[in-house]
Amino acid sequence: MAIEAYCVKCKAKKEMKDPVESTTKNGKPITKGKCPDCGTTICRIGAAK
């Protein structure tokens, strides 16, 4: 399943490359990955479904 997140550099929603579930400093779930076009780290708040 592809997870989409907003890339600030590309200014568009992109499908995450290599998504990894993680947590923020205060314990909230977050999904981090890379933009397939520019390679910037993109994040989506919430656990991957």
Side-chain angles (χ1 to χ4, degrees):
M1 180 177 150
I3 300 169
E4 286 190 339
Y6 185 79
C7 178
V8 180
K9 267 190 176 177
C10 298
K11 298 181 181 169
K13 274 192 169 184
K14 304 285 181 165
E15 285 187 11
M16 263 188 213
K17 184 175 156 188
D18 303 327
V20 176
E21 289 187 37
S22 185
T23 56
T24 58
K25 289 180 192 176
N26 61 354
K28 305 278 184 182
I30 193 168
T31 306
K32 289 183 180 182
K34 297 283 183 182
C35 174
D37 296 334
C38 65
T40 303
T41 301
I42 53 178
C43 300
R44 182 165 184 99
I45 308 265
K49 295 177 184 175

